[in-house]
Amino acid sequence: MTQNYDLIVRGGEVANHAGRGTADVGVIDGRIAFIGDLSQAGAGEIVDAAGLTVLPGVIDTQVHFREPGLEWKEDLETGSRSAALGGVTAVFEMPNTEPATTDPEALADKLARARDRMWTDHAFYIGGTHENARFLGELERLPGCCGVKVFMGASTGTLLVADDDGVREVLSHVKRRATFHSEDEYRLADRRPLARTGDWTSHPEVRDPESAIMSTRRLVGLARETGARIHVLHVTTAEEVEFLAHHKDVATMELTPQHLTLDGDEAYERLKGLAQMNPPIRNNYHIAGLWRGIEQGVADVLGSDHAPHTLEEKARPYPASPSGMPGVQTLVPVMLTHVANGRLSLDRFIDLTSHGANRVFGIAGKGRMAEGYDADLTLVDLKAKRVIRHEDMATRAGWTPFDGFEATGWPMATIVRGRVVMRDGDLIGAAHGRPVRFQETLA
């Protein structure tokens, strides 16, 4: 072909709906214009992808970038910087900031803060509360909103909707798929006295598997009662996977790299507060159940649940230490290591990190490497061996629970709408992330 392109990604192993094989990707006006042999074509910019595998852009549908109000932990620029360095092309950011994202003004403020500061494309959740439940059908349709997020446990203030009546009210007004942190707040409250001061091994006892299972059963029942679609975040128990397998008509589910990789029987002793998150890191019985969810197709997406806190905060003796850990920069290398070790196929990795997000959230023009879609590409070296280290993390928190992890597979370039934003570990140019669009709210 003799047509000129804005960008050609040349000579890589392309992995998409057509399988895997050497091909070029041509980009015009930020969208994929052709995939195939472009050896005779010209371009304003050519990226040499020889020796690399070209994937559809990785989408992380659960991050906490802490802005506004908590910028000492993270902000939209530093969080998206971590994402781009990790090969992530788009992120969906959570509403538990200060103020919480629960009204049009708070959403508009985040979108304004993100413009020309975020390196990746982005969307923001609206927090569902008792107070705004009747307005959620309008709020979820605002530009830049990826949907409604509800905390059934592990939150404070107005963002906590622990009761069935409150969840029912939210679901009765939401028309898009609603997203949930599913832990039973009432059981958690009863079990808080089980926390042993300074002993992080008691965290998965306080927030035991039954806390999650009870909540998810309640949630699915309410979804069926109201005719709503739900998405269960960071599933951690084998029993939830088995249960949700019987309710795929209404429920989708997310897994995280840390719950698939870290073993609670040793992680709390080794990492102490750095292993603390909600729901907790659990033992090998539950890890095996989560992997079964991947193998059997029950799991729909991978999200990092990137939720940074400072090392000083994390050093407080349990239970005064906060829950949450960074993860957006390590999602790709950790999961590609599972690919290298034969536990995860590359096709399933793509399904969980791009195609799944497209299906679950109805993303417009993203989540596939195909003609007409946004030219969001993650270029990886499947054979590269690197060690994940605290000092290489771009998050303001400056640490990772995977410090010392020997990864096989590494992100080498991040391309967002045809713009190279990261190559070989360096950010390029300026931040030009834009809001993600959704099929249900295009009109």
Side-chain angles (χ1 to χ4, degrees), residues 130 161-172 186 218 222:
H130 289 95
V161 184
D163 59 302
D164 282 3
D165 286 343
V167 173
R168 184 182 293 110
E169 180 73 2
V170 166
L171 291 177
S172 68
Y186 303 106
R218 287 173 48 212
L222 292 165

Side-chain angles (χ1 to χ4, degrees), residues 264-309:
D265 284 342
E266 68 86 23
Y268 294 104
E269 294 282 1
R270 176 170 57 88
L271 297 172
K272 298 183 169 45
L274 302 190
Q276 182 185 337
M277 67 173 296
N278 300 329
I281 302 298
R282 303 200 191 276
N283 62 24
N284 278 322
Y285 166 78
H286 292 290
I287 294 172
L290 302 187
W291 278 105
R292 185 179 184 280
I294 286 181
E295 293 156 5
Q296 297 300 313
V298 184
D300 297 278
V301 298
L302 280 170
S304 70
D305 193 14
H306 176 90
H309 301 281

Side-chain angles (χ1 to χ4, degrees), residues 5-9 24-35 45 47 54-59 87-90 119-121 364-379 413-422 437:
Y5 293 83
D6 299 328
L7 172 74
I8 293 177
V9 178
D24 307 319
V25 181
V27 178
I28 297 175
D29 293 332
R31 294 185 179 180
I32 296 170
F34 186 79
I35 302 172
E45 181 178 5
V47 172
V54 183
L55 309 177
V58 169
I59 302 168
V88 173
T89 60
W119 292 87
T120 62
D121 284 354
K366 292 184 183 293
R368 283 173 63 85
M369 190 201 311
E371 186 174 334
Y373 278 71
D374 287 355
D376 297 340
L377 305 171
T378 300
L379 278 59
T414 307
I415 299 174
V416 179
R417 285 174 290 102
R419 184 189 298 268
V420 181
V421 300
M422 185 277 285
R437 300 178 307 130

